[in-house]
Amino acid sequence: MLFRSNNLANMLEQGLGVVPDSRESAHWYLLAARAGEARAQHSIGNDYLEGIGVEKKPATGLQWIMCSARQGHLSAVSQLVELYRKGLGTAVDHTKATAWEKAAKQLATQPKNPASVIEALIGENPGCPLVTKKPS
């Protein structure tokens, strides 16, 4: 179900075989994100950052991207570097940007056990308070 929700959202976002629908896409990304799917968390985070299919809420976008990054989703980890450097969804924080940059480099070369890498380098619990149910 999780994988299918994310795929349906992607199809709706890109217009793959269907008429593009950003609101419907955001709905399906959010369902998958709440269930813990890292790619969906990254996607809905970007939707909130940009206001695509949902109300623009940069802080909420940052939270979803953080959830994805904590699972080791490399695109989300790399994006956090820029969000902290530019102060998008948060205050500018070069210390956090540098820490996430180190995490991105380490995850790119050693992708196993991302939670321990992130906890060691960032000092944060790799959980996500936005997840409402565990993936099955």
Side-chain angles (χ1 to χ4, degrees):
M1 164 75 177
L2 199 57
F3 182 72
R4 284 184 264 167
S5 295
N6 190 62
N7 282 349
L8 177 58
N10 189 46
M11 290 172 65
L12 287 160
E13 177 183 56
Q14 310 245 346
L16 301 174
V18 296
V19 175
D21 186 333
S22 60
R23 293 182 91 189
E24 192 68 16
S25 172
H27 166 78
W28 288 102
Y29 277 137
L30 191 56
L31 285 177
R34 284 182 175 150
E37 211 286 317
R39 290 174 301 161
Q41 290 170 343
H42 186 230
S43 294
I44 195 66
N46 280 305
D47 286 352
Y48 276 112
L49 281 174
E50 302 294 327
I52 299 171
V54 293
E55 182 181 342
K56 186 174 183 174
K57 294 182 180 178
T60 300
L62 175 78
Q63 287 180 309
W64 277 118
I65 292 168
M66 179 75 70
C67 290
S68 178
R70 287 176 177 163
Q71 292 188 66
H73 190 277
L74 194 52
S75 295
V77 172
S78 298
Q79 188 174 9
L80 281 176
V81 175
E82 293 306 310
L83 295 176
Y84 280 115
R85 280 193 180 135
K86 295 177 180 176
L88 299 173
T90 186
V92 171
D93 189 327
H94 294 291
T95 302
K96 284 187 178 181
T98 300
W100 281 105
E101 187 171 38
K102 287 179 185 176
K105 288 177 183 175
Q106 189 163 343
L107 288 170
T109 59
Q110 301 171 349
K112 292 185 180 179
N113 202 1
S116 65
V117 169
I118 290 165
E119 194 164 4
L121 291 171
I122 309 300
E124 295 183 9
N125 181 338
C128 178
L130 302 173
V131 170
T132 55
K133 66 179 187 177
K134 298 289 180 200
S136 49

